[in-house]
């Protein structure tokens, strides 16, 4: 077997390093990997074999003109497959670079403990990527691309799987477990007129009402029944409320259960700006909870 050319390998490593300097999201390296794959001799050998097979089979059954058309279609499909491979490699490279640049550890698809209601939803649940390490100075935790699945069956017995995707921030705050066993800041949904009816079915959770119209427009806040309301009012200080309403990531929400904080936004965020915002938001909520828990 021929040995790799050291000069070529070094050149490729330099190209990857140069590309990594300006990586802002999972798509930034897609063009780089696509061009790299399309320059490989093996790629074109496989594409050629696929075109010959497709064109030859169709020619045998339908004539040379349709055989030529089949070969062209095979070429386009093959290029699409190469693009898909490049896209996957670009995403992997982005998260690896992001983790290294921020001193975090990257892990792949794995199950996740059901510490909060969001993390217990669905018939199956897992993280597709998890970044663990510093969220901010003095705050360690994780940011992950989380998915849960719901299976439904129609009247004819056909099964369908629905996927619900979130970007989550996780942090352990054991000092909060006694002060506030459960606390939920959910995005506002439903009609205000139905709040009393909805609250009747919430079990041992009660709505927290604070004197902020801006907060009330965006969030519904719930805590364990009988929770110290004075403590909650101190927690939701004016500056914290302003941050939640004006500066938190779009559609941001959080759950705190037995000392485990889970912050979340809808969708998988795959760019540095959004991931940084999620890290900062999780660290900010953690700091506020710790500050009030240790008062």
């Amino acid at each position: 077997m021929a040995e790799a050319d050291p000069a070529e390998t070094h050149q490729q490593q330099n190209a990857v390093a140069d590309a990594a300097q300006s990586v802002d999201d999972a798509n930034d390296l897609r063009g780089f990997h696509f061009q790299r794959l399309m320059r490989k001799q093996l790629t074109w050998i496989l594409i050629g074999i696929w075109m010959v097979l497709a064109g030859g089979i169709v020619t045998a059954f339908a004539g040379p003109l349709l055989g030529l058309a089949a070969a062209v279609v095979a070429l386009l499909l093959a290029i699409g497959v190469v693009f898909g491979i490049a896209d996957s490699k670009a995403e992997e490279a982005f998260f690896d670079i992001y983790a290294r640049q921020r001193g975090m550890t990257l892990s792949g698809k794995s199950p996740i403990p059901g510490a909060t209601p969001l993390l217990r939803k669905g018939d199956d649940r897992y993280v597709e990527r998890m970044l663990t390490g510093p969220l901010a100075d003095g705050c360690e935790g994780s940011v992950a691309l989380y998915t849960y699945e719901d299976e439904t069956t129609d009247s004819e017995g056909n099964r369908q799987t629905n996927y619900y995707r979130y970007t989550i921030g996780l942090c352990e705050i054991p000092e909060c477990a006694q002060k506030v066993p459960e606390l939920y800041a959910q995005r506002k949904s439903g009609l205000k007129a139905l709040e009393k009816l909805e609250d009747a079915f919430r079990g041992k959770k009660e709505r927290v009402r604070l004197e902020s119209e801006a907060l009330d427009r965006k969030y519904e806040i719930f805590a364990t029944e009988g929770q110290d309301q004075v403590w909650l009012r101190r927690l939701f200080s004016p500056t914290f409320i302003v941050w939640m309403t004006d500066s938190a990531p779009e559609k941001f929400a959080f759950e705190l259960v037995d000392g485990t904080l889970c912050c979340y936004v809808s969708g998988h965020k795959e760019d540095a700006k959004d991931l940084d915002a999620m890290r900062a938001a999780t660290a900010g909520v953690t700091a506020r909870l710790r500050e009030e828990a240790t008062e």
Side-chain angles (χ1 to χ4, degrees), residues 224-278:
T224 310
E225 193 174 26
Q227 174 68 42
D228 183 349
Q229 295 296 310
V230 175
W231 189 91
L232 286 173
R233 287 178 180 276
R234 288 202 309 265
L235 173 68
F236 288 95
S237 64
T239 53
F240 188 43
I241 288 174
V242 169
W243 176 83
M244 288 183 65
T245 56
D246 296 348
S247 301
E250 186 177 1
K251 304 297 184 182
F252 176 80
F254 68 81
E255 302 175 338
L256 176 70
V257 179
D258 293 330
T260 297
L261 174 67
C262 175
C263 301
Y264 59 94
V265 294
S266 296
H268 285 175
K269 304 302 181 183
E270 297 181 343
D271 65 74
K273 182 180 178 181
D274 286 340
L275 290 170
D276 284 344
M278 199 62 193

Side-chain angles (χ1 to χ4, degrees), residues 74-101:
L75 171 63
L76 295 176
L77 288 174
I79 291 174
V81 170
V82 174
F83 186 83
I85 294 171
D87 187 58
S88 177
K89 287 184 175 294
E91 185 176 326
E92 291 176 7
F94 162 73
F95 279 97
D96 182 61
I97 292 165
Y98 182 92
R100 285 190 283 107
Q101 288 179 341

Side-chain angles (χ1 to χ4, degrees), residues 138-171:
C139 182
E140 295 285 319
S142 301
V143 173
L145 306 185
Y146 167 70
T147 300
Y148 75 84
E149 302 177 7
D150 262 340
E151 283 193 2
T152 58
T153 305
D154 63 22
S155 58
E156 297 179 354
N158 299 312
R159 289 188 175 183
Q160 180 178 339
T161 301
N162 299 305
Y163 297 88
Y164 300 89
R165 297 178 173 87
Y166 295 85
T167 299
I168 61 174
L170 298 170
C171 198

Side-chain angles (χ1 to χ4, degrees), residues 189-207:
S189 62
L191 299 173
K192 189 174 182 64
L194 298 177
E195 284 183 359
K196 289 185 178 180
L197 179 62
E198 292 173 352
D199 291 350
F201 293 93
R202 293 191 187 276
K204 296 182 179 181
K205 295 192 289 292
E206 62 183 5
R207 188 180 296 270

Side-chain angles (χ1 to χ4, degrees), residues 117-133:
L118 177 64
L119 305 182
R120 293 193 290 267
K121 285 190 172 184
D123 299 301
D124 191 17
R125 61 210 65 83
Y126 47 86
V127 294
E128 299 189 26
R129 300 184 192 278
M130 177 174 279
L131 295 149
T132 302

